[in-house]
Amino acid sequence: MKKAILYLNQFFGQIGGEDKADFEPVLEDKPIGSAGIFNGIAKNVKIEQTMICGDNFMASHTDEAIERCLKLLEGKKFDIFIAGPAFNAGRYGNACGQICKAVHEKFNVPVITSMNVENPGVEMFKRDMYIFKGGNRATAIKQDMTAMAAFADKIAGGEKLLPADMEGYFPRGIRHEVFLEDLGMEPVMACDRAVDMLLAKLKGEEYVTELPIPKQDLVPIAPAVKDIRKIKVGLVTSGGIVPRENPDRIESASATKWGKYNIAGLDKLPAPEFKTIHAGYDPEQADKNPNVVEPLDAIRALQKEGKLGEVDDFFYATVGTGTTQGEAARMGREIAADLRSRGVEAVILTST
């Protein structure tokens, strides 16, 4: 039986929620949380220890967090390192990717994690490790752990590993020579496969290329603002700052809506008239002072000092946590169109 160590954030490590996001790394000599699911499925691997670290601590003190995590692993016997699953949680995905990459580089053991396709950690780390295609929320934890457990079993058993699409992890950009019969497919010469694909393409039929080219979603860089004192500036935030009643019913996570709120004549955003509905960070400070997320007070101060010109009479808000790339792009286009209609030439975008 091979030994594994599981990495979890503070929430899934049963330490606490956002109030414990600064929790510092520990290594518990027992399986915790989703380790039970893994151990109930895997036949050749068993999670015996659990590493826990708060998402904020890993994000804000990355070098220190990794150094301390690696120090905790020194002298420990383990054959595989598992992290997550991280679903669509960006900070958690970053943490799983950071620690998996560091563990593999130092201890040279296989590392496995799982993330939703919308998690930014996929693009950041898919070349460095096996990242399984996971669900977008914690309700998918059983199926995600099942996929990782099955793959860990194959590694532990010395079985032949199949291509990424067949195993279920994101392609890593690593090409290997394989024989089709080893994949349970009929052997066909490369020239014949190429002709078959060409004919299918000409007929408008579906086909799968053997050399996929990654799609690049590149946004052109906007020209520099020559003099910010002579243009109209808009304010946008993904930090969930809204009027107390949340009149647009913007979701606290996985947002599909945005709002536009009047700030004409305000020197700052007053509490409790404004608050945050964002579910991805501790709301205490933002509810006490919404300007820590949407800094209208600082904007007005810059105006009084003559360092900033006209500011639009409205600010725009939505929630970033869990929001899919598709929804974010749509809302961005809609907000941009409204800003342009109001003569806004530059935007100050704040996040969390």
Side-chain angles (χ1 to χ4, degrees):
M1 180 71 70
K2 300 291 185 180
K3 296 180 180 180
I5 293 177
L6 174 65
Y7 175 91
L8 299 173
N9 70 357
Q10 80 285 352
F11 180 81
F12 291 98
Q14 301 177 358
I15 301 297
E18 278 300 317
D19 59 321
K20 298 295 183 181
D22 291 308
F23 186 79
E24 300 182 16
V26 297
L27 182 64
E28 300 286 353
D29 288 323
K30 59 183 178 180
I32 294 175
S34 55
I37 300 175
F38 185 100
N39 287 344
I41 297 169
K43 299 176 181 178
N44 301 321
V45 185
K46 184 178 181 181
I47 293 173
E48 296 186 342
Q49 295 175 302
T50 308
M51 176 172 286
I52 305 169
C53 180
D55 282 339
N56 278 359
F57 190 82
M58 179 63 78
S60 302
H61 309 279
T62 304
D63 292 342
E64 179 188 351
I66 290 175
E67 182 181 356
R68 291 174 60 176
C69 287
L70 295 179
K71 188 73 174 178
L72 290 170
L73 294 174
E74 289 181 358
K76 307 297 182 184
K77 294 183 178 180
F78 62 103
D79 305 287
I80 298 176
F81 190 84
I82 314 290
F87 315 110
N88 195 20
R91 285 179 303 163
Y92 197 11
N94 171 70
C96 289
Q98 293 282 4
I99 190 60
C100 280
K101 183 178 180 180
V103 168
H104 178 66
E105 290 175 350
K106 178 164 184 176
F107 298 101
N108 195 30
V109 299
V111 293
I112 307 170
T113 185
S114 170
M115 304 180 199
N116 182 259
V117 64
E118 295 283 353
N119 195 310
V122 173
E123 286 301 315
M124 293 168 64
F125 298 106
K126 67 181 181 181
R127 293 169 182 80
D128 303 305
M129 64 201 66
Y130 298 112
I131 302 180
F132 275 78
K133 300 176 180 179
N136 67 346
R137 57 190 63 191
T139 52
I141 192 167
K142 185 173 182 180
Q143 68 184 45
D144 291 355
M145 290 302 290
T146 298
M148 289 196 287
F151 193 65
D153 263 348
K154 293 187 72 172
I155 293 176
E159 297 181 42
K160 186 176 183 63
L161 304 181
L162 302 177
D165 287 341
M166 299 181 74
E167 294 287 6
Y169 60 86
F170 291 98
R172 301 176 61 189
I174 302 172
R175 292 179 62 81
H176 296 282
E177 182 180 68
V178 296
F179 294 95
L180 295 179
E181 51 264 40
D182 291 342
L183 304 179
M185 302 167 65
E186 180 183 353
V188 180
M189 292 182 64
C191 58
D192 292 329
R193 298 200 308 274
V195 171
D196 288 342
M197 284 190 285
L198 177 60
L199 291 173
K201 183 176 182 178
L202 292 173
K203 294 176 182 178
E205 299 173 352
E206 290 187 8
Y207 67 95
V208 179
T209 178
E210 295 179 14
L211 185 61
I213 305 299
K215 293 181 179 180
Q216 301 259 336
D217 185 12
L218 299 178
V219 178
I221 298 174
V225 174
K226 293 182 179 179
D227 191 342
I228 202 169
R229 297 169 298 178
K230 297 180 181 179
I231 65 170
K232 187 176 183 179
V233 174
L235 305 180
V236 181
T237 182
S238 62
I241 300 298
V242 298
R244 179 170 49 194
E245 299 80 11
N246 188 15
D248 295 292
R249 298 294 182 264
I250 300 174
E251 302 92 337
S252 293
S254 303
T256 62
K257 303 173 185 177
W258 55 273
K260 172 182 173 183
Y261 309 111
N262 197 317
I263 53 174
L266 293 179
D267 287 330
K268 63 179 181 179
L269 295 178
E273 286 83 355
F274 288 88
K275 66 174 186 178
T276 183
I277 55 164
H278 199 292
Y281 64 91
D282 188 336
E284 182 181 3
Q285 295 304 316
D287 285 344
K288 287 181 180 178
N289 179 13
N291 300 275
V292 299
V293 177
E294 183 60 285
L296 181 60
D297 54 354
I299 294 296
R300 297 304 190 206
L302 290 172
Q303 281 185 292
K304 291 177 181 177
E305 294 171 9
K307 296 179 180 178
L308 193 63
E310 183 182 0
V311 175
D312 190 46
D313 287 340
F314 293 84
F315 82 90
Y316 299 73
T318 187
V319 167
T321 187
T323 299
T324 66
Q325 183 175 341
E327 291 289 355
R330 174 189 60 77
M331 290 190 286
R333 288 191 295 269
E334 293 172 355
I335 293 172
D338 200 78
L339 286 163
R340 282 183 176 276
S341 72
R342 297 185 54 76
V344 172
E345 300 173 76
V347 169
I348 297 174
L349 173 62
T350 55
S351 185
T352 51

